[in-house]
Amino acid sequence: AGHFGADANGGEDGTLQALLSVVDVPFVGSGQHASSIAIDKQVCKAFVATQGIQKPQSELIADLDHIENAAKQ
């Protein structure tokens, strides 16, 4: 079994896990699906909500206009 400490693109997003699974190399850690969901915080929050888990309210700030509008509220 392999244990990897990969970070950033390819290591945290499920890509490496998928590759290892395809070539039948056992590994320790989260699988492809869990990693691909967890790497994107908006996707993760949406998934968690479908499981009935309470989460704090949040807002995606995509650009400077969002920051300025949020500050006015």
Side-chain angles (χ1 to χ4, degrees):
H3 177 81
F4 55 92
D7 194 11
N9 290 340
E12 290 181 306
D13 65 0
T15 303
L16 181 57
Q17 294 87 336
L19 175 63
L20 292 172
S21 294
V22 166
V23 295
D24 226 13
V25 173
F27 61 90
V28 175
S30 299
Q32 172 190 1
H33 298 294
S35 297
S36 64
I37 290 170
I39 194 73
D40 185 320
K41 300 311 174 220
Q42 290 301 113
V43 170
C44 186
K45 288 177 183 182
F47 176 77
V48 165
T50 67
Q51 303 304 302
I53 300 171
Q54 293 182 354
K55 60 177 188 53
Q57 185 177 0
S58 63
E59 184 174 340
L60 175 64
I61 299 176
D63 57 38
L64 188 56
D65 289 338
H66 283 103
I67 295 171
E68 291 171 353
N69 289 336
K72 292 176 185 175
Q73 294 179 359

